[in-house]
């Protein structure tokens, strides 16, 4: 099925940290200090506690720092970006520690560098000491990515013969992994598009 733009901004599909990080980078690159008021223009509906928690994590991990001293209640905190790692938001907890990367993100990153692969080979290559990736997870992800045109099938699967895949030319859309929704859609947060929808038939044969 052809890809389509979401009807809303689909804010929930892009991780909160990503949207906050994009705001921080845009403000910082404009030459202005980062403040909560300025961030509000990028995440107007996001709970302030979520923004504050992420800022604390970024400070603890050394990505941003406060540039004005605390003088009293009501002071506006100002921050600057001191470690810009690019478009992908740092994944940090409040204490600055980094949680394990989710399995599909590991798969997506590995797909870019592995070349040609089977689902089993992809799962093995994407597995890290902190998080193992199951072959079944890789298999489902490969199937959805292939249906959406992200993966090219270099060898069709058959009885006792696993399918082989490689990243299709020009289909690396960015660092954020395309997501399989519960509705069996594939959503790409890099382009903010639903790129594939699995059509299921209802009783009587009508889609």
């Amino acid at each position: 099925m052809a890809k389509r733009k979401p009807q809303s901004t689909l804010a929930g599909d892009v991780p909160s940290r990503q949207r906050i990080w994009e705001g921080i980078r845009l403000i910082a690159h404009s030459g202005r200090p980062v403040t909560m008021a300025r961030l509000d223009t990028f995440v107007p509906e996001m709970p302030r506690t979520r923004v504050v928690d992420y800022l604390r994590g970024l400070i603890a991990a050394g990505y941003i720092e406060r540039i004005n001293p605390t003088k009293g209640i009501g002071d506006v905190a100002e921050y600057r970006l001191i470690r810009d790692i690019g478009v992908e938001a740092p994944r940090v907890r409040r204490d600055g520690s980094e949680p394990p990367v989710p399995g599909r993100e590991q798969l997506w990153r590995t797909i870019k560098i592995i070349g040609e692969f089977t689902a089993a080979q992809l799962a093995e290559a994407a597995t890290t000491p902190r998080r193992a990736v199951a072959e079944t997870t890789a298999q489902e992800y490969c199937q959805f990515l292939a249906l959406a045109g992200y993966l090219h099938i270099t060898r069709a699967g058959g009885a006792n013969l696993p399918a082989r895949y490689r990243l299709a030319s020009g289909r690396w859309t960015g660092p954020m992994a395309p997501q399989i929704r519960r509705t069996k859609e594939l959503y790409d947060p890099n382009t903010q598009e639903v790129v594939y929808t699995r059509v299921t038939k209802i009783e009587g044969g009508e889609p």
Side-chain angles (χ1 to χ4, degrees):
M1 178 173 288
K3 61 187 178 181
R4 58 183 172 86
K5 280 283 187 179
Q7 294 181 349
S8 66
T9 58
L10 290 174
D13 291 286
V14 178
S16 300
R17 66 179 181 280
Q18 185 65 39
R19 297 166 59 221
I20 300 168
W21 178 248
E22 289 172 359
I24 289 172
R25 294 185 75 232
L26 286 170
I27 295 168
H29 291 176
S30 72
R32 298 174 296 170
V34 176
T35 64
M36 288 294 295
R38 288 173 180 150
L39 279 177
D40 280 343
T41 64
F42 295 93
V43 289
E45 77 296 336
M46 191 178 295
R48 178 156 289 202
T49 54
R50 188 177 301 172
V51 180
V52 170
D53 284 348
Y54 189 56
L55 292 178
R56 287 175 177 170
L58 291 175
I59 292 171
Y63 291 97
I64 64 174
E65 66 177 3
R66 182 162 178 174
I67 58 177
N68 63 328
T70 301
K71 295 181 179 179
I73 297 175
D75 287 345
V76 176
E78 297 181 345
Y79 308 91
R80 67 181 172 191
L81 181 62
I82 58 176
R83 183 183 169 199
D84 188 353
I85 61 170
V87 66
E88 186 175 5
R91 183 185 295 274
V92 294
R93 300 186 179 99
R94 286 184 63 184
D95 62 1
S97 61
E98 297 184 4
V101 176
R104 284 177 184 156
E105 286 193 25
Q106 292 177 197
L107 291 170
W108 179 242
R109 294 176 182 180
T110 304
I111 284 169
K112 185 180 181 182
I113 61 176
I114 194 175
E116 192 172 317
F117 55 88
T118 65
Q121 290 169 338
L122 178 62
E124 181 179 2
T127 290
T128 69
R130 299 186 69 188
R131 182 182 292 275
V133 180
E135 181 179 345
T136 53
T137 299
Q139 183 65 57
E140 181 189 36
Y141 200 46
C142 287
Q143 290 173 349
F144 267 86
L145 291 176
L147 288 167
Y150 288 84
L151 296 184
H152 174 65
I153 300 175
T154 60
R155 184 186 70 192
N160 300 317
L161 184 67
R164 293 187 65 83
Y165 308 89
R166 64 173 170 79
L167 182 65
S169 177
R171 292 314 308 267
W172 176 262
T173 55
M176 292 182 285
Q179 305 163 3
I180 301 174
R181 291 173 167 173
R182 293 180 181 177
T183 53
K184 295 304 180 183
E185 292 179 330
L186 189 70
Y187 172 78
D188 190 335
N190 301 291
T191 61
Q192 296 189 27
E193 293 175 319
V194 174
V195 292
Y196 173 77
T197 300
R198 176 179 290 176
V199 177
T200 57
K201 291 185 178 181
I202 60 176
E203 186 177 354
E206 294 297 326

